[in-house]
Amino acid sequence: MAFQGVKGSFRVFAIIGEEGGGLVERSKSPWTTLFEVEDPRSKVPQYSKGKFLDVNQALEVARYDLQYCDWKARQDVLTIMLLHEKVVEVLNPLAREYKSVGTLKKELADLQEELGQAHNQVHISEARVSTALDKLAYLETLVTNKILQDRNTTESDLLPSTPSTLTESLDTVKSKPPRRNLNISGPVQPYHANLKNFWYPVAFSAHLKDDTMVPIDCFERPWVLFRGKDGKPGCVQNTCAHRACPLDLGSINKGRIQCPYHGWEYSTDGKCEKMPSTKLVNVKIKALPCFEQEGIIWIWPGNDPPMANLPSLLPPSGFQIHAEIVMELPVEHGLLLDNLLDLAHAPFTHTSTFAKGWSVPSLVKFLTPTSGLQGSWDPYPIDMEFRPPCMVLSTIGISKPGKLEGQSTRECSTHLHQLHVCLPSTRNKTRLLYRMSLDFAPILKHVPFMQHLWKHFAEQVLNEDLRLVLGQQERMINGDNVWNWPVSYDKLGVRYRQWRDSVEQRSKSSPFSNLRRIQNPLNE
């Protein structure tokens, strides 16, 4: 649901969808009576598509959104309770008499995995409820302050074109053939708000200890990661509410981050829980939804409710992780992604590292579906994928480091898997997370100082790229186009740019782009 005000008036464009499917199989457990809350979706007002709602109707829809989030969170908690009952049942002495130890272990392992997934879902539901409350408060503020009271303005005054006209123009755009050139030139523009509405990996779990902090920049704003009393990570603004001192200059005290200036202490939800030398008042700094999965810490920097699931970035089955490296690079993250999605440059750029001795093929192609963001390189035995919003995954077939074997990854006996995460820190800085995995030589994990060797090699490869990308960035800022005349091997990089354009253009299909958009959970 999107809303916007123009010339002191207020309208809402609502599209109400449905979400099907139950959550858990409800047994005759006594817990179920405590969670018998009616599913609110049956009571949602059925406004027609394309209808513009007034303020009161918009508030009604927003309140149903909040009721839905509450209902969904209750179902998640109920799921955990029912799973706990299953655990008790498995461990019951009478049940053990009829089951082997192996059967009990398998059932307990399966239940442990289900419980982990259910707990993670509860945390995400909590974040969605918090975001829905913020949206509702924002709408109520608009009404209370009477910002948009003129309900007599006609729809023609509000819209430069009717919804049907907008649809026709979008159809016209879709029917146009793709342009040959991309225009990526001039100073880097501020990042579009739509790019923020994704889960972003920001750190490896192993790098965030209980007593440490990890300061990061994300979309031009400073944040700091730390672990709370329960050991779970949190992400709060790296600025004390009192005197704007950087919090990462302080320390961790009993799961709270302590400002070094006057000792104010904040929990992972941003609430100030301690103010030495003065009376405690209600103060809170901004905190982002923050979760940990598969050895990576993620944040959601956008204003829309977080998506319900975190993507998996684990290497394929049979691989072991050998190195996890983080670097801060002085380039805009889009230029770095362009570079990582291009393999044709390797025999010309990486002549001192992994591509040393590679021959230059007469033709390099990237084989992919018509509209896919993944595929394989020909003639190199390398599979590659761009995973929105900023991840590149690649699997390289090798016989030994630095050598190629075969023309496809399937023909190779050993492989190297890479994950590159290009976090947009600022308009001229990228936080790079690099994870390297192998499906051979597991003994290398136990060789002393091997991490330092991998980091040295990764820095060598990146330095070969950086001197080129920094030159591109300088010329781009001065007005040169860094994407002139794309050719066949530029396919994946071009599709990344087209994906990014499509994300940024989403709000431009509506003339209402200067107010926050409300996403209805019932539409997901």
Side-chain angles (χ1 to χ4, degrees), residues 23 83 281 302 315 367 371 378 434:
L23 293 174
L83 288 172
V281 295
L367 308 177
S371 58
D378 180 14
Y434 174 72

Side-chain angles (χ1 to χ4, degrees), residues 26 98 109 149 155 171 195 222 230 274 317 386 389 442 518 524:
R26 299 201 175 193
Y98 300 99
Q149 294 181 343
E155 293 185 4
D171 292 339
L195 283 176
D230 56 3
K274 187 175 181 180
S317 175
F386 168 67
I518 296 181
E524 298 175 2

Side-chain angles (χ1 to χ4, degrees), residues 43-56:
K43 296 183 178 180
V44 176
Q46 300 300 311
Y47 300 115
S48 303
K49 285 188 176 182
K51 179 181 178 182
F52 290 89
L53 311 183
D54 62 25
V55 172
N56 293 325

Side-chain angles (χ1 to χ4, degrees), residues 11 13 19 34 50 56 80 102 106 214 287 312 324 353 410 423 432 435 445 448 462 477:
R11 295 290 187 273
F13 181 76
E19 180 181 280
L34 300 178
N56 293 325
I80 291 178
K106 183 177 184 305
V214 175
S312 174
E324 291 180 333
T353 54
R410 293 185 299 274
L423 179 70
L432 176 68
R435 174 187 273 176
K445 288 182 61 117
L462 272 173
I477 292 173

Side-chain angles (χ1 to χ4, degrees), residues 165-232:
T165 306
L166 286 173
T167 305
E168 290 171 3
S169 6
L170 287 175
D171 292 339
T172 305
V173 170
K174 289 178 182 177
S175 65
K176 290 181 180 179
R179 60 185 177 184
R180 181 170 177 79
N181 292 348
L182 294 172
N183 184 13
I184 310 297
S185 61
V188 181
Q189 299 301 310
Y191 288 112
H192 197 283
N194 287 351
L195 283 176
K196 300 178 183 180
N197 290 316
F198 292 90
W199 284 109
Y200 280 86
V202 292
F204 293 113
S205 297
H207 297 171
L208 186 64
K209 309 297 183 184
D210 289 338
D211 58 348
T212 62
M213 296 166 283
V214 175
I216 64 169
D217 289 323
C218 183
F219 290 108
E220 308 280 346
R221 296 190 64 181
W223 306 92
V224 60
L225 305 169
F226 67 102
R227 294 190 181 275
K229 296 177 183 178
D230 56 3
K232 295 178 181 177

Side-chain angles (χ1 to χ4, degrees), residues 22 54 58 99 176 194 206 248 339 406 479-480 500:
D54 62 25
K99 297 181 180 179
K176 290 181 180 179
N194 287 351
D248 71 290
N339 175 268
D480 290 328
R500 183 165 167 177

